Amino acid sequence: MGLQRLLAQKGITKYYLSKISGIPKTTIADICAGRSDIGRCSAMTVQLLARALDCTMEEILEEAAYDDETGLPLSQGYLECGLPDFLAASVDNMRTAWERIDRGEKYLRWDCDYCTLQSDINNAEVNQLISSEQAWYLREKYLRIERIRSDESD
């Protein structure tokens, strides 16, 4: 939907959004004016805006393309932006581990990398360094865990 349209729809000013989200008014004004690309903002910035506007992160991202069947964004790379250093390092280690395993190499540290990443994702989520949405994105992509949503199990 885009940030500007959400503001208009909810009848909220850029100034008020700045106050309730903690994002500088100039950043919000630049995004709305097209001087800054919301897709290049950190996931934390998008999350704070979404929380303040009571919407999803995807609704704020204007240029996000959606899958016709699932309605989900085609690219969720923004969820990897702004990760804490310890988590980014664990993601890199797991990415490398999967590359080696997928090539058929014998890699004996795979289970250590897997458990470390799982622990670091949980730690970052519990300590609110990343959103639940980011945590599940990382689990699905790098731990290859399938998320079962409650509406799917009915």
Side-chain angles (χ1 to χ4, degrees):
M1 174 168 281
L3 184 58
Q4 183 63 47
R5 282 184 248 157
L6 279 167
L7 287 171
Q9 181 184 48
K10 295 184 181 277
I12 296 175
T13 65
K14 294 175 190 94
Y15 176 78
Y16 183 67
L17 178 59
S18 172
K19 291 296 178 195
I20 62 174
S21 68
I23 303 299
K25 182 179 177 270
T26 54
T27 301
I28 294 169
D30 287 345
I31 292 168
C32 290
R35 289 185 295 270
S36 292
D37 180 6
I38 188 77
R40 298 189 53 85
C41 290
S42 73
M44 183 60 77
T45 296
V46 178
Q47 178 190 14
L48 289 170
L49 291 170
R51 211 179 269 164
L53 291 168
D54 193 27
C55 66
T56 66
M57 293 169 70
E58 289 84 8
E59 287 176 84
I60 293 174
L61 297 169
E62 285 182 53
E63 59 280 340
Y66 294 88
D67 183 292
D68 290 335
E69 288 182 28
T70 65
L72 297 172
L74 295 175
S75 173
Q76 293 182 312
Y78 65 92
L79 293 170
E80 290 187 55
C81 296
L83 297 178
D85 291 340
F86 71 93
L87 182 54
S90 293
V91 165
D92 287 339
N93 289 341
M94 195 71 236
R95 183 183 298 121
T96 301
W98 280 122
E99 287 170 1
R100 293 177 75 175
I101 290 168
D102 290 343
R103 282 193 307 262
E105 291 181 30
K106 190 173 188 177
Y107 182 62
L108 301 178
R109 288 195 41 84
W110 173 87
D111 59 338
C112 294
D113 293 335
Y114 189 97
C115 290
T116 299
L117 178 56
Q118 187 173 34
S119 175
D120 286 348
I121 291 170
N122 293 343
N123 177 5
E125 182 181 21
V126 166
N127 289 300
Q128 298 181 349
L129 301 174
I130 63 172
S131 67
S132 180
E133 184 179 9
Q134 284 177 285
W136 273 106
Y137 170 80
L138 296 171
R139 288 179 187 114
E140 289 174 329
K141 182 172 181 179
Y142 295 107
L143 298 177
R144 299 182 180 180
I145 294 174
E146 183 179 345
R147 182 178 188 181
I148 299 175
R149 299 181 192 273
S150 59
D151 58 311
E152 292 176 3
S153 62
D154 294 338

